[in-house]
Amino acid sequence: MYRRLLAVVISASFLPLTGISFAADGESLPAEAAHNHRGGEKRIILENGEDAVITLWKPDLTTEPLTLEHGGVTLPKTGMDNYHVILAEKDWGDHKEVVIRYEYRHGPPSKQSPSRLTAQQKTEFEIVPAPIPREHYRYHSQQRWGFVVRFEGQPVGGLEVELQTSNGSHLSVTSDAEGRVEFLIPDDFPGVVKGERDRRLGQFSVSSEYHQGDRRYTTQLSADYRVSPSHWQSTRLGLLIVGFGFIAGSVIGRVKKGGDGK
Amino acid sequence: MNSILNLSLLRKLVQIGAFVFFVYGGLVTGYYLEDKISRSLPALSCAYDHQGADLCTLIPIQHQMDHRLGEAIANGGNLMMGIMPTLITLGTFLLLFVVLNKAFCGWICPLGSFQEILQIIGQKLGLRRHESLSENLVERIRPVKWFILLLLVFAFPLLTGMGMLNHDLGDPFCRICPSRILTTLATGDSSQIYLDTANTTTIVTSLLADFLFGLMIALALTVRQPFCRICPMLAMHAVFRKIGLLRLVKNATPRCDRCGLCAKACPMDIREIHTDMESRNVTFEDCTLCGRCVEFCPDQDVLQLKYTRFPVFSSSPHYFKQRKKQQSQWQKRTLIGWFRKRSAIPGTESS
Ligand code: SF4
Ligand code: SF4
């Protein structure tokens, strides 16, 4: 039986704007024939999720309600691959809070581009990855990624947007006229050893707040990120080896005078 | 034939268009894998280039061997389900391949085009180039592509999926493929040139990849299509070449015996085009359907590029004569020659 894969617990202080939050990969219940959770069920921890309306958006834009059980939700097999969205909404009347997470799921081909899911309005106030890492790719530290803040499907400029990581970093920028912000994901995993591969996983959240009349909206996009491979992949040494290859090729490919050259 | 336009020039224009489309076309088709055209292209248009319009068939095959078939075998799962994704990938590959056959190499592949550009640079720099590789060397190189296809594209990923090799051997050909470095560099991304010190496997594969890339660049300046000769895609093509609708056909005559210009013109040094004396489909396993042999055959209709039964381009004495003239003029124009000429003309030195 498959065990809990990751138990990254995120402290409450990590999420100042909202009460509910995702707590990374919970545990995975795999399909019998797979090493990983390919196409199998997957459990995601949702902190303070009581009374939240939780919805699973599939790549073909169909939805399915999810129920909170023992502090988390179990993503069912949906029979299609590619990104899915888990959306949790809590409405307090004068305040609506939303947390959202994009999860790649394995399965039979959905034949749906993730651009459909990102373009779709899923709730009033949302932060959308622009773009989301391509299928089979992930967020890594030291990478620059963009996000768009939208209210009722329209981009919102001039909003303060914050990025916080489970390793304690905190960045803040203001959205431009197209509602776009960009963050360089901090290289903040402690104790990274140069030259050694590091498979640790952290979480970041991108959050913002919007007011319309007396109503307040808070939204938070959460995602995993990993240690930048640049800690164990050296471009400088790589270039040096390309140079050696070039020299070797020049020697091997040299045509001597009087040879078969033209 | 128009005094400038010839098949080689037409091919160069198609190659440039294909290069731009397959390396940068994702800006039009879309960024995500689902937006790519076929995801099973019979040419090395690389999946690591996120701006590309499509990706080569070798990456899904390696992943399917590793994660589908290999894991199905290891876990005693349903083998039919394990092999099904590969059958779909091969089916898509064949749908495209039937249309152009091996011309995906000679006309479309970004890596093939890049090597030809390097060859032109070598020639223009006035480097002494190998006219043809020796028969013996060509014979010794030919099996390499089959080993790479069988071991790096099929066997190692399969064994990785079965848990017999470490996870870093799940996509071994991609790890050494020069197209990965070339196409990402072409989009301004240098992240694919690296020495990866994670473990022995990654050190060896990243070392091989970088060395091979440098080696290929230097060799391509003086040797025609150095990487193509060992490319596993060429081997994949060779398996299915008889079902392609475009083909190279020979109507041999006794005059072929004393000629051999076709083999000299061939960038892949396929001597059999010259020595084969039967009249038939001569799309040999290393052929890229570039059509140079047809251009340089001086005899009427002896060599033809045919689409099914219909000739689309045939050899002719008239074309040959003009093409030869163009070729010798083209070869005479080198940078060294240009500098020499300049310094020989009095009064031009200081201008
Ligand atoms: S690395 Fe080579 S084999 Fe792999 S996807 Fe790119 S072009 Fe294809
Ligand atoms: S043989 Fe050459 S042209 Fe064909 S796929 Fe390989 S690199 Fe490209």
Side-chain angles (χ1 to χ4, degrees):
Chain A
M1 184 66 183
Y2 221 69
R3 297 274 167 176
R4 178 175 288 237
L5 271 186
L6 292 151
V8 182
V9 178
I10 295 166
S11 69
S13 62
F14 167 43
L15 309 158
L17 285 173
T18 55
I20 39 174
S21 65
F22 289 116
D25 277 87
E27 63 182 11
S28 290
L29 308 169
E32 303 73 9
H35 285 309
N36 299 317
H37 41 77
R38 299 188 159 266
E41 293 175 337
K42 182 173 185 180
R43 194 166 154 73
I44 291 189
I45 297 164
L46 186 66
E47 289 177 346
N48 303 321
E50 305 78 25
D51 303 326
V53 177
I54 310 165
T55 313
L56 176 70
W57 283 79
K58 298 177 206 170
D60 62 357
L61 304 187
T62 56
T63 58
E64 190 176 309
L66 297 175
T67 20
L68 189 78
E69 278 169 0
H70 313 295
V73 288
T74 302
L75 301 189
K77 290 183 192 178
T78 58
M80 55 184 96
D81 72 355
N82 225 314
Y83 280 105
H84 293 55
V85 162
I86 304 116
L87 173 76
E89 298 166 292
K90 253 188 185 181
D91 200 334
W92 307 94
D94 58 346
H95 174 207
K96 180 161 182 184
E97 58 176 314
V98 167
V99 292
I100 193 163
R101 192 175 169 91
Y102 288 73
E103 280 285 332
Y104 189 89
R105 309 284 291 133
H106 292 277
S110 65
K111 299 204 180 341
Q112 304 292 337
S113 167
S115 57
R116 288 193 73 198
L117 201 57
T118 51
Q120 172 69 28
Q121 182 191 328
K122 297 168 282 292
T123 182
E124 290 96 330
F125 186 43
E126 64 178 316
I127 293 176
V128 182
I132 195 163
R134 206 172 79 170
E135 298 98 319
H136 311 303
Y137 282 78
R138 316 261 194 236
Y139 289 110
H140 284 95
S141 59
Q142 291 184 15
Q143 289 177 341
R144 184 170 288 279
W145 286 96
F147 304 87
V148 170
V149 194
R150 289 193 315 222
F151 185 76
E152 292 181 339
Q154 298 305 311
V156 194
L159 272 191
E160 191 184 332
V161 183
E162 295 190 350
L163 178 135
Q164 294 190 63
T165 73
S166 53
N167 292 312
S169 300
H170 184 183
L171 302 170
S172 175
V173 289
T174 305
S175 61
D176 67 13
E178 275 79 49
R180 189 175 170 84
V181 290
E182 279 189 11
F183 289 105
L184 181 68
I185 300 180
D187 192 21
D188 58 0
F189 286 87
V192 175
V193 180
K194 187 92 198 140
E196 278 182 27
R197 179 151 65 189
D198 194 326
R199 295 183 191 271
R200 274 178 297 168
L201 205 73
Q203 277 230 335
F204 69 81
S205 74
V206 183
S207 51
S208 189
E209 184 172 324
Y210 184 73
H211 292 261
Q212 200 192 43
D214 290 341
R215 200 158 145 85
R216 185 162 76 100
Y217 294 87
T218 50
T219 193
Q220 184 194 87
L221 172 84
S222 94
D224 299 333
Y225 75 111
R226 288 145 207 263
V227 183
S228 167
S230 65
H231 289 289
W232 58 92
Q233 293 181 346
S234 163
T235 302
R236 239 188 281 159
L237 287 176
L239 274 171
L240 196 70
I241 298 159
V242 171
F244 284 138
F246 187 86
I247 293 167
S250 308
V251 173
I252 298 168
R254 196 166 49 100
V255 182
K256 292 183 202 98
K257 271 210 166 134
D260 66 345
K262 59 177 181 181
Chain B
M1 181 182 56
N2 180 303
S3 58
I4 296 178
L5 189 67
N6 57 52
L7 190 74
S8 289
L9 183 64
L10 179 69
R11 194 168 66 86
K12 285 283 168 299
L13 295 176
V14 173
Q15 284 179 302
I16 292 167
F19 188 98
V20 171
F21 182 67
F22 286 108
V23 176
Y24 307 102
L27 300 171
V28 180
T29 61
Y31 166 78
Y32 298 105
L33 283 182
E34 276 297 344
D35 302 326
K36 306 302 174 192
I37 297 171
S38 71
R39 293 190 286 162
S40 202
L41 193 78
L44 296 188
S45 167
C46 184
Y48 288 79
D49 162 20
H50 291 199
Q51 293 180 23
D54 207 354
L55 41 129
C56 91
T57 200
L58 301 181
I59 189 166
I61 290 181
Q62 289 169 85
H63 284 177
Q64 287 152 1
M65 289 297 113
D66 178 2
H67 296 298
R68 298 303 179 100
L69 189 57
E71 287 182 3
I73 295 171
N75 299 315
N78 184 336
L79 285 187
M80 199 53 214
M81 292 300 284
I83 196 83
M84 193 50 102
T86 309
L87 294 179
I88 293 170
T89 299
L90 278 179
T92 316
F93 167 88
L94 285 178
L95 274 179
L96 294 170
F97 183 74
V98 159
V99 179
L100 284 185
N101 201 350
K102 291 170 131 278
F104 273 105
C105 282
W107 295 67
I108 304 290
C109 176
L111 189 61
S113 308
F114 177 65
Q115 292 170 83
E116 288 193 38
I117 289 165
L118 288 171
Q119 186 204 329
I120 293 172
I121 293 173
Q123 193 263 323
K124 291 298 158 211
L125 288 175
L127 300 179
R128 293 181 61 79
R129 296 174 304 130
H130 291 270
E131 191 172 5
S132 306
L133 297 186
S134 75
E135 195 172 348
N136 187 17
L137 184 59
V138 172
E139 285 302 323
R140 274 190 288 154
I141 294 173
R142 276 183 182 167
V144 177
K145 62 181 177 297
W146 292 103
F147 283 117
I148 294 182
L149 178 71
L150 291 175
L151 293 179
L152 300 194
V153 178
F154 286 96
F156 283 15
L158 190 68
L159 294 173
T160 303
M162 290 165 67
M164 295 163 82
L165 295 176
N166 89 50
H167 185 68
D168 289 302
L169 284 170
D171 54 356
F173 179 66
C174 285
R175 286 178 186 245
I176 64 159
C177 176
S179 185
R180 177 173 56 85
I181 299 179
L182 168 72
T183 55
T184 48
L185 270 183
T187 62
D189 169 13
S190 61
S191 66
Q192 294 302 320
I193 296 186
Y194 54 75
L195 180 71
D196 186 329
T197 52
N199 57 44
T200 317
T201 308
T202 60
I203 291 174
V204 171
T205 50
S206 57
L207 226 144
L208 263 175
D210 298 335
F211 189 82
L212 186 63
F213 187 66
L215 188 79
M216 179 195 76
I217 292 177
L219 281 178
L221 293 168
T222 55
V223 180
R224 293 181 292 184
Q225 308 303 99
F227 179 76
C228 292
R229 296 165 193 265
I230 59 164
C231 178
M233 188 63 91
L234 194 70
M236 279 270 286
H237 287 188
V239 175
F240 301 107
R241 69 188 190 273
K242 293 293 177 198
I243 61 167
L245 300 179
L246 184 66
R247 52 196 63 159
L248 178 66
V249 175
K250 183 171 182 182
N251 308 301
T253 78
R255 288 185 295 279
C256 290
D257 248 354
R258 284 169 279 118
C259 177
L261 288 176
C262 54
K264 269 194 184 151
C266 173
M268 300 294 283
D269 296 314
I270 305 171
R271 283 182 179 74
E272 293 87 333
I273 312 170
H274 159 48
T275 54
D276 196 293
M277 291 307 279
E278 280 171 46
S279 295
R280 60 182 184 113
N281 179 350
V282 286
T283 314
F284 290 105
E285 70 172 45
D286 278 0
C287 177
T288 62
L289 286 177
C290 68
R292 266 181 73 85
C293 56
V294 188
E295 285 189 287
F296 286 91
C297 168
D299 221 330
Q300 189 67 42
D301 296 340
V302 167
L303 281 172
Q304 291 179 311
L305 283 175
K306 280 188 168 179
Y307 206 79
T308 63
R309 289 171 40 231
F310 308 105
V312 284
F313 182 65
S314 305
S315 60
S316 84
H318 176 66
Y319 181 98
F320 167 75
K321 244 174 149 171
Q322 289 215 29
R323 183 70 184 84
K324 212 178 142 214
K325 208 165 121 197
Q326 288 170 345
Q327 186 66 17
S328 60
Q329 281 170 354
W330 168 253
Q331 287 194 185
K332 266 186 220 150
R333 286 193 212 114
T334 64
L335 268 180
I336 288 188
W338 184 75
F339 278 123
R340 276 194 196 132
K341 218 163 142 191
R342 262 177 81 85
S343 45
I345 301 169
T348 55
E349 292 91 331
S350 58
S351 62

